[in-house]
Amino acid sequence: MAFGFAPPPASDPSHRLGRILESSEWAAAGIPLLSNPRELVSGLYARHAPTLSTAIVGVLQQDGRLAASASFRQRADVADGWELRNGLLARLRRIIPHDLRLRSPARTAVLMYCRGGDGGWTEEDGAWMWGLRDACTLHGLRCGAYITMTPHGWQVLGDGRGGRRPYVGSPVDKLIPEEPEAPSNVAPPRGTGGAATDNLRPTAAC
């Protein structure tokens, strides 16, 4: 018996069709809502500065704070949930230990994918959704939000929330306001950087 990332035979197109989640299936899957999607999206964008065909996977702690994230570019001609799952799982294994020992997932994985077009669902998104859900199962994580980012803005698929900024190609240095400089004789307060800054330190980019 073989284990790992080997895909099933590609000769049967029914396998590939089964590795896509429709928009209605995703909306009915009980995906947990993000408490502050704009802050998360802005933080991930500022940290990874993604371009088109870049995927960013992040892992959230139980309190919603980001524990780790990784980004990687995906070939535009790959829209098979199996291969996308393998790519996501490989990055998750690099940035955070699995939680398979737990009875129920304690952490949540989210995915932001940068592509062309508008923010509406596409078959490519359906393949990413399938891949995210399966990667979460294999790594002991809860499946979280799937976010599309285009040159027109970002959209959390399934719950209707989105915004115009950041967008693919937007200036990174304008996303997070600079903190006012503390007086030289006063130590800056601890833990006041906010989720968009403090939570983005454990990061990998591939």
Side-chain angles (χ1 to χ4, degrees), residues 61-102:
Q61 301 282 22
Q62 287 182 297
D63 61 3
R65 296 172 67 86
L66 191 67
S69 63
S71 63
F72 61 100
R73 286 182 59 81
Q74 180 62 46
R75 295 202 330 265
D77 60 337
V78 174
D80 187 330
W82 187 282
E83 294 188 43
L84 300 180
R85 187 284 307 269
N86 291 346
L88 290 170
L89 189 57
R91 271 71 186 188
L92 288 171
R93 287 173 173 172
R94 292 179 187 177
I95 63 174
I96 202 160
H98 69 75
D99 281 341
L100 294 171
R101 66 192 180 282
L102 302 178

Side-chain angles (χ1 to χ4, degrees), residues 5-6 14 22 27 32 40 64 83 101 114 124 136 141 147 150 153 161 166 170 180 184 194 197 199-200:
F5 297 122
S14 64
E22 298 287 343
L40 176 66
E83 294 188 43
R101 66 192 180 282
C114 302
E124 184 181 24
C136 288
L141 300 171
I147 304 160
T150 72
R161 290 182 292 177
S170 58
S184 58
T197 53
N199 296 341
L200 293 172

Side-chain angles (χ1 to χ4, degrees), residues 93-182:
R93 287 173 173 172
R94 292 179 187 177
I95 63 174
I96 202 160
H98 69 75
D99 281 341
L100 294 171
R101 66 192 180 282
L102 302 178
R103 285 189 173 183
S104 58
R107 294 180 287 195
T108 302
V110 299
L111 177 63
M112 184 169 77
Y113 182 59
C114 302
R115 60 167 174 77
D118 58 27
W121 183 91
T122 66
E123 285 193 0
E124 184 181 24
D125 296 321
W128 278 111
M129 290 172 171
W130 189 96
L132 176 63
R133 186 185 65 177
D134 212 44
C136 288
T137 299
L138 294 174
H139 205 62
L141 300 171
R142 189 180 185 190
C143 183
Y146 175 75
I147 304 160
T148 59
M149 177 173 286
T150 72
H152 306 290
W154 57 273
Q155 180 79 26
V156 183
L157 296 193
D159 74 3
R161 290 182 292 177
R164 295 182 179 179
R165 292 178 179 273
Y167 55 88
V168 176
S170 58
V172 172
D173 57 353
K174 295 183 179 180
L175 294 178
I176 303 177
E178 293 184 2
E179 297 269 296
E181 186 175 348

